[in-house]
Amino acid sequence: MAASVDPLVVGRVIGDVLDMYIPTANMSVYFGPKHITNGCEIKPSAAVNPPKVNISGNSDELYTLVMTDPDAPSPSEPNMREWVHWIVVDIPGGTNPSKGKEILPYMEPRPPVGIHRYIFVLFRQNSPMGPMVQLPPSRANFSTRMFAGHLDLGLPVATVYFNAQKEPASRRR
Amino acid sequence: MAIPMATATPTDSASRVWSMSSLRSALPSATTCRMPSSTSRRPVTIRLPVSSPSPLLLPSFSGLSPVNPLISTGLPDWKSFENGFKIIDGGGRVYAMRHGRRVPKLNRPPDQRKALLRGLTTQLLKHGRIKTTRARASAMRKFVDKMITLAKDGSLHKRRQALGYIYEKQIVHALFAEVPDRYGERNGGYTRIIRTLPRRGDNAPMAYIELV
């Protein structure tokens, strides 16, 4: 039973990855022609290339975008929670991540078992990051909360997530 | 006919139909059968007397047989026969409508239904999150919770019971290994259902069901 109707709470994104926050910015994510809404289903073959992300806001603000998967390797046993796919910092407001600094290059979703959630989290930066950000040692066992605390990013300003599962190897007739 | 002549004459009408009051006075009063009144439309339930007093005077043993409307001795003052033809035993109620029936049938005969639910719980325990129709997701909650409760107990007997239900034994062993850590403090409610968009082919309402 959902305590609230917010899709991020229902899908336990707030709880597993994030804390409760108040969205203050808008972010729209597109994989090709498909617009991402919370909980929609995307095929991994459609997510091979990084999505187009449009961030609202004015250009003197800088944003950080993180894409993680909290259900790695399987939702029933998330030993490697979370698996980080993409980190981009210093994105000017009103643009897209290509104008920012890509700390961790984009990795496409490859869920081995089960249906995974892939979460895009947007933070507002207080100051330009520049060389302060170091690469996480490995993609596994990432913690978005600790990453945000380490860089003093505070609570997120926008979040969206989608589901993906492994596509069957052979084409169904 | 062993019915003795009623001492009271038939009361209401001039017809030959026996009325209940006259018959009741004629029959031995050792039983405590609750005769359904003719005007009520309850389903016919006759409670068999648990403790019959067994006095020494019990001439005709008609006490424990329920009133079977098919063996009618011309007595019924009942206005209608619709309620009368249900067969009752042990107090189970049978309604013409679905009132109070809580088992989801899933449009399948019982053997297929059981197999479907076994397969769904196996897959959920294997993958952690699956997408099915809403009816199936809400029907399988009970069985997933049962399996996790068996794993919480952890004894050999419970393990064998789980092996008899889940199709893959690796999943049972993995379940018994990890459930105490994962669900040790949680009391019940080990699944969550998230409704989602309908299926394209037949517009069936779909849902994700996941382990907590």
Side-chain angles (χ1 to χ4, degrees), chain A residues 1 10-12 39-41 71 74-78 113-117 161 163 165, chain B residues 124-131 174 178 182 192-197 208 210-212:
Chain A
M1 296 281 283
V10 171
R12 296 309 301 161
C40 69
E41 179 98 19
D71 300 322
S74 148
S76 59
E77 276 156 58
V113 176
I115 302 176
H116 291 220
R117 298 165 287 174
Y161 83 98
N163 292 321
Q165 57 181 330
Chain B
L124 177 63
L125 293 171
K126 178 171 171 183
H127 290 103
R129 183 183 289 132
I130 60 174
K131 182 173 168 184
E178 69 160 59
R182 203 164 147 181
R192 175 183 297 129
I193 294 187
I194 303 174
R195 295 172 296 176
T196 178
L197 297 168
Y208 287 107
E210 60 186 26
L211 292 170
V212 146

Side-chain angles (χ1 to χ4, degrees), chain A residues 103-148:
Chain A
I103 305 291
L104 193 61
Y106 178 77
M107 186 182 117
E108 58 154 0
R110 254 181 305 157
V113 176
I115 302 176
H116 291 220
R117 298 165 287 174
Y118 292 94
I119 310 172
F120 290 97
V121 192
L122 190 72
F123 296 95
R124 183 174 285 133
Q125 288 172 215
N126 299 322
S127 57
M129 292 293 168
M132 263 175 32
V133 189
Q134 69 266 39
L135 210 61
S138 84
R139 291 195 184 237
N141 295 111
F142 182 74
S143 169
T144 308
R145 288 190 182 101
M146 280 186 20
F147 180 76

Side-chain angles (χ1 to χ4, degrees), chain A residues 27 70 90 159 164 173:
Chain A
M27 169 171 65
D90 288 340
T159 309
R173 297 303 174 99

Side-chain angles (χ1 to χ4, degrees), chain A residues 24-30 52-59 61-66 86 88-100 121-124 157-158:
Chain A
T24 53
N26 287 324
M27 169 171 65
S28 59
V29 184
Y30 288 87
K52 295 186 230 327
V53 183
N54 290 329
I55 304 172
S56 66
N58 39 4
S59 48
E61 292 168 335
L62 297 175
Y63 292 91
T64 299
L65 179 72
V66 179
W86 201 23
V88 189
V89 299
D90 288 340
I91 309 171
T95 63
N96 52 17
S98 59
K99 307 274 189 310
V121 192
L122 190 72
F123 296 95
R124 183 174 285 133
V157 296

Side-chain angles (χ1 to χ4, degrees), chain B residues 18-194:
Chain B
W18 290 102
S19 74
M20 290 307 300
S21 55
S22 64
L23 194 60
R24 202 179 292 139
S25 61
L27 285 173
S29 61
T31 69
T32 55
C33 276
R34 185 167 55 118
M35 301 296 181
S37 60
S38 59
T39 53
S40 78
R41 291 184 91 64
R42 290 194 309 265
V44 175
T45 61
I46 298 203
R47 309 225 175 270
L48 305 180
V50 174
S51 62
S52 61
S54 83
L56 289 171
L57 51 104
L58 192 61
S60 68
F61 190 67
S62 65
L64 291 181
S65 66
V67 176
N68 194 331
L70 294 179
I71 308 178
S72 123
T73 53
L75 47 87
D77 207 7
W78 296 335
K79 300 285 195 300
S80 69
F81 279 98
E82 283 139 1
N83 292 333
F85 281 109
K86 300 284 188 294
I87 307 298
I88 306 102
D89 48 333
R93 296 173 185 262
V94 179
Y95 290 84
M97 299 145 282
R98 196 190 58 93
H99 289 188
R101 300 193 201 164
R102 298 178 57 188
V103 171
K105 294 224 204 135
L106 302 176
N107 292 323
R108 277 168 171 79
D111 52 346
Q112 281 189 39
R113 192 185 317 149
K114 181 171 178 193
L116 171 69
L117 289 165
R118 282 174 73 180
L120 282 171
T121 61
T122 305
Q123 294 298 311
L124 177 63
L125 293 171
K126 178 171 171 183
H127 290 103
R129 183 183 289 132
I130 60 174
K131 182 173 168 184
T132 69
T133 65
R134 275 183 216 171
R136 291 179 197 170
S138 78
M140 65 189 271
R141 286 179 297 177
K142 173 177 171 185
F143 298 97
V144 175
D145 287 355
K146 264 199 160 76
M147 289 298 116
I148 295 185
T149 308
L150 289 181
K152 263 190 172 178
D153 185 296
S155 64
L156 174 63
H157 179 53
K158 299 285 189 273
R159 187 181 289 256
R160 286 185 172 163
Q161 284 183 319
L163 283 166
Y165 191 82
I166 302 214
Y167 282 125
E168 296 176 36
K169 67 178 193 179
Q170 297 303 321
I171 297 178
V172 173
H173 297 317
L175 186 73
F176 273 67
E178 69 160 59
V179 149
D181 312 319
R182 203 164 147 181
Y183 297 116
E185 291 92 31
R186 193 178 285 264
N187 295 325
Y190 308 111
T191 60
R192 175 183 297 129
I193 294 187
I194 303 174

